[in-house]
PDB file of all heavy atoms in Angstrom:
ATOM      1  N   TRP X 366      -5.194   7.682  -5.905  1.00 98.00           N
ATOM      2  CA  TRP X 366      -5.534   6.747  -4.852  1.00 98.00           C
ATOM      3  C   TRP X 366      -4.285   6.279  -4.107  1.00 98.00           C
ATOM      4  O   TRP X 366      -3.251   5.981  -4.724  1.00 98.00           O
ATOM      5  CB  TRP X 366      -6.232   5.510  -5.431  1.00 98.00           C
ATOM      6  CG  TRP X 366      -7.620   5.779  -5.942  1.00 98.00           C
ATOM      7  CD1 TRP X 366      -8.006   5.917  -7.235  1.00 98.00           C
ATOM      8  CD2 TRP X 366      -8.799   5.944  -5.150  1.00 98.00           C
ATOM      9  NE1 TRP X 366      -9.352   6.151  -7.321  1.00 98.00           N
ATOM     10  CE2 TRP X 366      -9.877   6.171  -6.040  1.00 98.00           C
ATOM     11  CE3 TRP X 366      -9.068   5.913  -3.776  1.00 98.00           C
ATOM     12  CZ2 TRP X 366     -11.188   6.369  -5.616  1.00 98.00           C
ATOM     13  CZ3 TRP X 366     -10.374   6.112  -3.349  1.00 98.00           C
ATOM     14  CH2 TRP X 366     -11.415   6.344  -4.263  1.00 98.00           C
ATOM     15  N   VAL X 367      -4.388   6.228  -2.780  1.00 98.00           N
ATOM     16  CA  VAL X 367      -3.367   5.599  -1.950  1.00 98.00           C
ATOM     17  C   VAL X 367      -4.083   4.724  -0.924  1.00 98.00           C
ATOM     18  O   VAL X 367      -5.269   4.919  -0.648  1.00 98.00           O
ATOM     19  CB  VAL X 367      -2.468   6.638  -1.230  1.00 98.00           C
ATOM     20  CG1 VAL X 367      -1.652   7.438  -2.230  1.00 98.00           C
ATOM     21  CG2 VAL X 367      -3.304   7.565  -0.344  1.00 98.00           C
ATOM     22  N   PHE X 368      -3.350   3.764  -0.369  1.00 98.00           N
ATOM     23  CA  PHE X 368      -3.959   2.841   0.585  1.00 98.00           C
ATOM     24  C   PHE X 368      -3.447   3.140   1.986  1.00 98.00           C
ATOM     25  O   PHE X 368      -2.236   3.216   2.213  1.00 98.00           O
ATOM     26  CB  PHE X 368      -3.638   1.389   0.229  1.00 98.00           C
ATOM     27  CG  PHE X 368      -4.373   0.378   1.057  1.00 98.00           C
ATOM     28  CD1 PHE X 368      -5.638  -0.039   0.692  1.00 98.00           C
ATOM     29  CD2 PHE X 368      -3.809  -0.134   2.222  1.00 98.00           C
ATOM     30  CE1 PHE X 368      -6.336  -0.956   1.449  1.00 98.00           C
ATOM     31  CE2 PHE X 368      -4.498  -1.057   2.993  1.00 98.00           C
ATOM     32  CZ  PHE X 368      -5.772  -1.470   2.610  1.00 98.00           C
ATOM     33  N   ILE X 369      -4.388   3.321   2.938  1.00 98.00           N
ATOM     34  CA  ILE X 369      -4.028   3.564   4.336  1.00 98.00           C
ATOM     35  C   ILE X 369      -4.125   2.251   5.112  1.00 98.00           C
ATOM     36  O   ILE X 369      -5.163   1.582   5.102  1.00 98.00           O
ATOM     37  CB  ILE X 369      -4.956   4.620   4.970  1.00 98.00           C
ATOM     38  CG1 ILE X 369      -4.846   5.950   4.220  1.00 98.00           C
ATOM     39  CG2 ILE X 369      -4.629   4.805   6.448  1.00 98.00           C
ATOM     40  CD1 ILE X 369      -5.810   7.018   4.714  1.00 98.00           C
ATOM     41  N   HIS X 370      -3.028   1.880   5.790  1.00 98.00           N
ATOM     42  CA  HIS X 370      -3.044   0.721   6.672  1.00 98.00           C
ATOM     43  C   HIS X 370      -3.713   1.072   8.006  1.00 98.00           C
ATOM     44  O   HIS X 370      -3.956   2.254   8.312  1.00 98.00           O
ATOM     45  CB  HIS X 370      -1.617   0.238   6.927  1.00 98.00           C
ATOM     46  CG  HIS X 370      -0.997  -0.451   5.757  1.00 98.00           C
ATOM     47  ND1 HIS X 370      -1.505  -1.585   5.186  1.00 98.00           N
ATOM     48  CD2 HIS X 370       0.128  -0.142   5.034  1.00 98.00           C
ATOM     49  CE1 HIS X 370      -0.741  -1.974   4.188  1.00 98.00           C
ATOM     50  NE2 HIS X 370       0.250  -1.106   4.058  1.00 98.00           N
ATOM     51  N   SER X 371      -3.984   0.060   8.813  1.00 98.00           N
ATOM     52  CA  SER X 371      -4.700   0.267  10.068  1.00 98.00           C
ATOM     53  C   SER X 371      -3.877   1.057  11.093  1.00 98.00           C
ATOM     54  O   SER X 371      -4.418   1.518  12.091  1.00 98.00           O
ATOM     55  CB  SER X 371      -5.137  -1.070  10.667  1.00 98.00           C
ATOM     56  OG  SER X 371      -4.023  -1.930  10.820  1.00 98.00           O
ATOM     57  N   ASP X 372      -2.570   1.223  10.853  1.00 98.00           N
ATOM     58  CA  ASP X 372      -1.766   2.078  11.737  1.00 98.00           C
ATOM     59  C   ASP X 372      -1.734   3.524  11.248  1.00 98.00           C
ATOM     60  O   ASP X 372      -1.027   4.364  11.821  1.00 98.00           O
ATOM     61  CB  ASP X 372      -0.344   1.539  11.877  1.00 98.00           C
ATOM     62  CG  ASP X 372       0.415   1.518  10.537  1.00 98.00           C
ATOM     63  OD1 ASP X 372      -0.182   1.852   9.498  1.00 98.00           O
ATOM     64  OD2 ASP X 372       1.613   1.141  10.551  1.00 98.00           O
ATOM     65  N   GLY X 373      -2.500   3.784  10.184  1.00 98.00           N
ATOM     66  CA  GLY X 373      -2.592   5.145   9.659  1.00 98.00           C
ATOM     67  C   GLY X 373      -1.589   5.472   8.573  1.00 98.00           C
ATOM     68  O   GLY X 373      -1.731   6.488   7.878  1.00 98.00           O
ATOM     69  N   LYS X 374      -0.588   4.624   8.409  1.00 98.00           N
ATOM     70  CA  LYS X 374       0.441   4.900   7.399  1.00 98.00           C
ATOM     71  C   LYS X 374      -0.064   4.555   6.005  1.00 98.00           C
ATOM     72  O   LYS X 374      -0.755   3.551   5.811  1.00 98.00           O
ATOM     73  CB  LYS X 374       1.707   4.099   7.679  1.00 98.00           C
ATOM     74  CG  LYS X 374       2.467   4.518   8.918  1.00 98.00           C
ATOM     75  CD  LYS X 374       3.741   3.680   9.082  1.00 98.00           C
ATOM     76  CE  LYS X 374       4.475   4.030  10.369  1.00 98.00           C
ATOM     77  NZ  LYS X 374       5.692   3.201  10.567  1.00 98.00           N
ATOM     78  N   VAL X 375       0.341   5.384   5.029  1.00 98.00           N
ATOM     79  CA  VAL X 375       0.091   5.066   3.624  1.00 98.00           C
ATOM     80  C   VAL X 375       1.023   3.932   3.210  1.00 98.00           C
ATOM     81  O   VAL X 375       2.211   3.916   3.566  1.00 98.00           O
ATOM     82  CB  VAL X 375       0.308   6.300   2.743  1.00 98.00           C
ATOM     83  CG1 VAL X 375       0.357   5.927   1.263  1.00 98.00           C
ATOM     84  CG2 VAL X 375      -0.801   7.319   2.983  1.00 98.00           C
ATOM     85  N   ALA X 376       0.469   2.960   2.457  1.00 98.00           N
ATOM     86  CA  ALA X 376       1.270   1.841   1.945  1.00 98.00           C
ATOM     87  C   ALA X 376       2.295   2.362   0.952  1.00 98.00           C
ATOM     88  O   ALA X 376       1.931   2.905  -0.091  1.00 98.00           O
ATOM     89  CB  ALA X 376       0.362   0.808   1.293  1.00 98.00           C
ATOM     90  N   LYS X 377       3.560   2.204   1.263  1.00 98.00           N
ATOM     91  CA  LYS X 377       4.638   2.619   0.370  1.00 98.00           C
ATOM     92  C   LYS X 377       5.958   2.225   1.007  1.00 98.00           C
ATOM     93  O   LYS X 377       6.020   1.820   2.176  1.00 98.00           O
ATOM     94  CB  LYS X 377       4.611   4.130   0.107  1.00 98.00           C
ATOM     95  CG  LYS X 377       4.894   4.976   1.337  1.00 98.00           C
ATOM     96  CD  LYS X 377       5.008   6.439   0.991  1.00 98.00           C
ATOM     97  CE  LYS X 377       5.435   7.263   2.202  1.00 98.00           C
ATOM     98  NZ  LYS X 377       5.897   8.604   1.845  1.00 98.00           N
ATOM     99  N   LYS X 378       7.022   2.361   0.229  1.00 97.00           N
ATOM    100  CA  LYS X 378       8.374   2.156   0.741  1.00 97.00           C
ATOM    101  C   LYS X 378       9.088   3.495   0.705  1.00 97.00           C
ATOM    102  O   LYS X 378       8.896   4.294  -0.216  1.00 97.00           O
ATOM    103  CB  LYS X 378       9.127   1.128  -0.114  1.00 97.00           C
ATOM    104  CG  LYS X 378      10.458   0.699   0.461  1.00 97.00           C
ATOM    105  CD  LYS X 378      11.060  -0.447  -0.342  1.00 97.00           C
ATOM    106  CE  LYS X 378      12.399  -0.884   0.265  1.00 97.00           C
ATOM    107  NZ  LYS X 378      13.017  -1.988  -0.512  1.00 97.00           N
ATOM    108  N   HIS X 379       9.923   3.717   1.700  1.00 97.00           N
ATOM    109  CA  HIS X 379      10.573   5.024   1.793  1.00 97.00           C
ATOM    110  C   HIS X 379      11.445   5.319   0.574  1.00 97.00           C
ATOM    111  O   HIS X 379      12.331   4.549   0.227  1.00 97.00           O
ATOM    112  CB  HIS X 379      11.435   5.102   3.050  1.00 97.00           C
ATOM    113  CG  HIS X 379      10.648   5.027   4.321  1.00 97.00           C
ATOM    114  ND1 HIS X 379      11.211   4.856   5.549  1.00 97.00           N
ATOM    115  CD2 HIS X 379       9.303   5.090   4.552  1.00 97.00           C
ATOM    116  CE1 HIS X 379      10.283   4.817   6.484  1.00 97.00           C
ATOM    117  NE2 HIS X 379       9.113   4.953   5.896  1.00 97.00           N
ATOM    118  N   TYR X 380      11.149   6.405  -0.084  1.00 96.00           N
ATOM    119  CA  TYR X 380      11.986   7.017  -1.118  1.00 96.00           C
ATOM    120  C   TYR X 380      12.166   6.177  -2.384  1.00 96.00           C
ATOM    121  O   TYR X 380      13.035   6.486  -3.190  1.00 96.00           O
ATOM    122  CB  TYR X 380      13.382   7.359  -0.556  1.00 96.00           C
ATOM    123  CG  TYR X 380      13.325   8.109   0.756  1.00 96.00           C
ATOM    124  CD1 TYR X 380      13.721   7.507   1.949  1.00 96.00           C
ATOM    125  CD2 TYR X 380      12.857   9.419   0.804  1.00 96.00           C
ATOM    126  CE1 TYR X 380      13.667   8.196   3.164  1.00 96.00           C
ATOM    127  CE2 TYR X 380      12.793  10.112   2.022  1.00 96.00           C
ATOM    128  CZ  TYR X 380      13.201   9.494   3.194  1.00 96.00           C
ATOM    129  OH  TYR X 380      13.136  10.155   4.379  1.00 96.00           O
ATOM    130  N   THR X 381      11.373   5.144  -2.582  1.00 97.00           N
ATOM    131  CA  THR X 381      11.545   4.325  -3.782  1.00 97.00           C
ATOM    132  C   THR X 381      10.235   3.656  -4.150  1.00 97.00           C
ATOM    133  O   THR X 381       9.333   3.511  -3.321  1.00 97.00           O
ATOM    134  CB  THR X 381      12.647   3.268  -3.567  1.00 97.00           C
ATOM    135  OG1 THR X 381      12.881   2.555  -4.791  1.00 97.00           O
ATOM    136  CG2 THR X 381      12.253   2.245  -2.518  1.00 97.00           C
ATOM    137  N   ASP X 382      10.130   3.239  -5.421  1.00 98.00           N
ATOM    138  CA  ASP X 382       8.992   2.431  -5.853  1.00 98.00           C
ATOM    139  C   ASP X 382       9.068   1.060  -5.189  1.00 98.00           C
ATOM    140  O   ASP X 382      10.152   0.572  -4.843  1.00 98.00           O
ATOM    141  CB  ASP X 382       9.022   2.250  -7.372  1.00 98.00           C
ATOM    142  CG  ASP X 382       8.841   3.555  -8.124  1.00 98.00           C
ATOM    143  OD1 ASP X 382       8.481   4.566  -7.492  1.00 98.00           O
ATOM    144  OD2 ASP X 382       9.074   3.573  -9.347  1.00 98.00           O
ATOM    145  N   SER X 383       7.892   0.422  -5.058  1.00 98.00           N
ATOM    146  CA  SER X 383       7.875  -0.887  -4.389  1.00 98.00           C
ATOM    147  C   SER X 383       6.581  -1.629  -4.689  1.00 98.00           C
ATOM    148  O   SER X 383       5.566  -1.039  -5.063  1.00 98.00           O
ATOM    149  CB  SER X 383       8.012  -0.709  -2.869  1.00 98.00           C
ATOM    150  OG  SER X 383       6.912   0.050  -2.364  1.00 98.00           O
ATOM    151  N   TRP X 384       6.653  -2.966  -4.512  1.00 98.00           N
ATOM    152  CA  TRP X 384       5.468  -3.815  -4.589  1.00 98.00           C
ATOM    153  C   TRP X 384       4.791  -3.878  -3.218  1.00 98.00           C
ATOM    154  O   TRP X 384       5.464  -3.907  -2.193  1.00 98.00           O
ATOM    155  CB  TRP X 384       5.846  -5.235  -5.004  1.00 98.00           C
ATOM    156  CG  TRP X 384       6.273  -5.366  -6.427  1.00 98.00           C
ATOM    157  CD1 TRP X 384       7.539  -5.522  -6.894  1.00 98.00           C
ATOM    158  CD2 TRP X 384       5.421  -5.377  -7.572  1.00 98.00           C
ATOM    159  NE1 TRP X 384       7.543  -5.623  -8.254  1.00 98.00           N
ATOM    160  CE2 TRP X 384       6.257  -5.541  -8.708  1.00 98.00           C
ATOM    161  CE3 TRP X 384       4.047  -5.255  -7.758  1.00 98.00           C
ATOM    162  CZ2 TRP X 384       5.755  -5.595 -10.003  1.00 98.00           C
ATOM    163  CZ3 TRP X 384       3.543  -5.303  -9.046  1.00 98.00           C
ATOM    164  CH2 TRP X 384       4.385  -5.467 -10.156  1.00 98.00           C
ATOM    165  N   ASP X 385       3.439  -3.941  -3.236  1.00 98.00           N
ATOM    166  CA  ASP X 385       2.688  -4.198  -2.007  1.00 98.00           C
ATOM    167  C   ASP X 385       1.424  -4.963  -2.381  1.00 98.00           C
ATOM    168  O   ASP X 385       0.759  -4.634  -3.371  1.00 98.00           O
ATOM    169  CB  ASP X 385       2.332  -2.902  -1.288  1.00 98.00           C
ATOM    170  CG  ASP X 385       2.207  -3.094   0.226  1.00 98.00           C
ATOM    171  OD1 ASP X 385       1.975  -4.239   0.654  1.00 98.00           O
ATOM    172  OD2 ASP X 385       2.360  -2.096   0.954  1.00 98.00           O
ATOM    173  N   ARG X 386       1.135  -5.990  -1.608  1.00 98.00           N
ATOM    174  CA  ARG X 386      -0.080  -6.790  -1.846  1.00 98.00           C
ATOM    175  C   ARG X 386      -1.202  -6.194  -1.002  1.00 98.00           C
ATOM    176  O   ARG X 386      -1.133  -6.197   0.239  1.00 98.00           O
ATOM    177  CB  ARG X 386       0.153  -8.253  -1.497  1.00 98.00           C
ATOM    178  CG  ARG X 386      -0.952  -9.171  -2.021  1.00 98.00           C
ATOM    179  CD  ARG X 386      -0.515 -10.632  -1.978  1.00 98.00           C
ATOM    180  NE  ARG X 386      -1.570 -11.493  -2.527  1.00 98.00           N
ATOM    181  CZ  ARG X 386      -2.545 -12.032  -1.794  1.00 98.00           C
ATOM    182  NH1 ARG X 386      -2.583 -11.825  -0.497  1.00 98.00           N
ATOM    183  NH2 ARG X 386      -3.467 -12.790  -2.365  1.00 98.00           N
ATOM    184  N   LEU X 387      -2.220  -5.677  -1.679  1.00 98.00           N
ATOM    185  CA  LEU X 387      -3.271  -4.909  -1.015  1.00 98.00           C
ATOM    186  C   LEU X 387      -4.640  -5.348  -1.518  1.00 98.00           C
ATOM    187  O   LEU X 387      -4.777  -5.841  -2.642  1.00 98.00           O
ATOM    188  CB  LEU X 387      -3.086  -3.409  -1.297  1.00 98.00           C
ATOM    189  CG  LEU X 387      -1.744  -2.798  -0.870  1.00 98.00           C
ATOM    190  CD1 LEU X 387      -1.592  -1.399  -1.444  1.00 98.00           C
ATOM    191  CD2 LEU X 387      -1.616  -2.784   0.650  1.00 98.00           C
ATOM    192  N   PRO X 388      -5.669  -5.141  -0.719  1.00 98.00           N
ATOM    193  CA  PRO X 388      -7.018  -5.481  -1.169  1.00 98.00           C
ATOM    194  C   PRO X 388      -7.678  -4.316  -1.902  1.00 98.00           C
ATOM    195  O   PRO X 388      -7.380  -3.151  -1.658  1.00 98.00           O
ATOM    196  CB  PRO X 388      -7.748  -5.756   0.150  1.00 98.00           C
ATOM    197  CG  PRO X 388      -7.083  -4.830   1.128  1.00 98.00           C
ATOM    198  CD  PRO X 388      -5.641  -4.743   0.702  1.00 98.00           C
ATOM    199  N   ASP X 389      -8.574  -4.660  -2.821  1.00 98.00           N
ATOM    200  CA  ASP X 389      -9.502  -3.670  -3.366  1.00 98.00           C
ATOM    201  C   ASP X 389     -10.858  -4.364  -3.516  1.00 98.00           C
ATOM    202  O   ASP X 389     -11.071  -5.449  -2.955  1.00 98.00           O
ATOM    203  CB  ASP X 389      -8.984  -3.045  -4.664  1.00 98.00           C
ATOM    204  CG  ASP X 389      -8.865  -4.020  -5.823  1.00 98.00           C
ATOM    205  OD1 ASP X 389      -9.374  -5.162  -5.733  1.00 98.00           O
ATOM    206  OD2 ASP X 389      -8.259  -3.644  -6.849  1.00 98.00           O
ATOM    207  N   SER X 390     -11.749  -3.773  -4.268  1.00 98.00           N
ATOM    208  CA  SER X 390     -13.113  -4.311  -4.369  1.00 98.00           C
ATOM    209  C   SER X 390     -13.164  -5.662  -5.069  1.00 98.00           C
ATOM    210  O   SER X 390     -14.186  -6.357  -4.994  1.00 98.00           O
ATOM    211  CB  SER X 390     -14.009  -3.317  -5.115  1.00 98.00           C
ATOM    212  OG  SER X 390     -13.496  -3.071  -6.428  1.00 98.00           O
ATOM    213  N   THR X 391     -12.090  -6.049  -5.747  1.00 98.00           N
ATOM    214  CA  THR X 391     -12.083  -7.322  -6.485  1.00 98.00           C
ATOM    215  C   THR X 391     -11.241  -8.395  -5.802  1.00 98.00           C
ATOM    216  O   THR X 391     -11.093  -9.487  -6.337  1.00 98.00           O
ATOM    217  CB  THR X 391     -11.553  -7.103  -7.914  1.00 98.00           C
ATOM    218  OG1 THR X 391     -10.172  -6.699  -7.846  1.00 98.00           O
ATOM    219  CG2 THR X 391     -12.365  -6.041  -8.644  1.00 98.00           C
ATOM    220  N   GLY X 392     -10.633  -8.084  -4.673  1.00 98.00           N
ATOM    221  CA  GLY X 392      -9.811  -9.056  -3.963  1.00 98.00           C
ATOM    222  C   GLY X 392      -8.422  -8.506  -3.673  1.00 98.00           C
ATOM    223  O   GLY X 392      -8.198  -7.289  -3.719  1.00 98.00           O
ATOM    224  N   TRP X 393      -7.495  -9.418  -3.361  1.00 98.00           N
ATOM    225  CA  TRP X 393      -6.125  -9.026  -3.054  1.00 98.00           C
ATOM    226  C   TRP X 393      -5.280  -9.064  -4.325  1.00 98.00           C
ATOM    227  O   TRP X 393      -5.363 -10.007  -5.109  1.00 98.00           O
ATOM    228  CB  TRP X 393      -5.530  -9.959  -2.012  1.00 98.00           C
ATOM    229  CG  TRP X 393      -6.071  -9.703  -0.631  1.00 98.00           C
ATOM    230  CD1 TRP X 393      -7.261 -10.131  -0.123  1.00 98.00           C
ATOM    231  CD2 TRP X 393      -5.439  -8.941   0.391  1.00 98.00           C
ATOM    232  NE1 TRP X 393      -7.421  -9.699   1.159  1.00 98.00           N
ATOM    233  CE2 TRP X 393      -6.314  -8.964   1.515  1.00 98.00           C
ATOM    234  CE3 TRP X 393      -4.232  -8.253   0.495  1.00 98.00           C
ATOM    235  CZ2 TRP X 393      -6.008  -8.320   2.712  1.00 98.00           C
ATOM    236  CZ3 TRP X 393      -3.920  -7.619   1.687  1.00 98.00           C
ATOM    237  CH2 TRP X 393      -4.807  -7.644   2.779  1.00 98.00           C
TER     238      TRP X 393
END
């Protein structure tokens, strides 16, 4: 699973692991 933002980009940071606050079926 990956998350697509409304600009079409996959949620991630370039070339490294990272935190991101994202929604799913249970909330943010």
Side-chain angles (χ1 to χ4, degrees):
W366 290 103
V367 295
F368 187 86
I369 300 176
H370 287 300
S371 55
D372 62 356
K374 291 182 183 178
V375 167
K377 66 174 186 165
K378 189 173 181 181
H379 295 169
Y380 311 110
T381 185
D382 295 349
S383 61
W384 289 105
D385 209 338
R386 193 165 182 270
L387 302 169
D389 65 11
S390 59
T391 65
W393 286 80

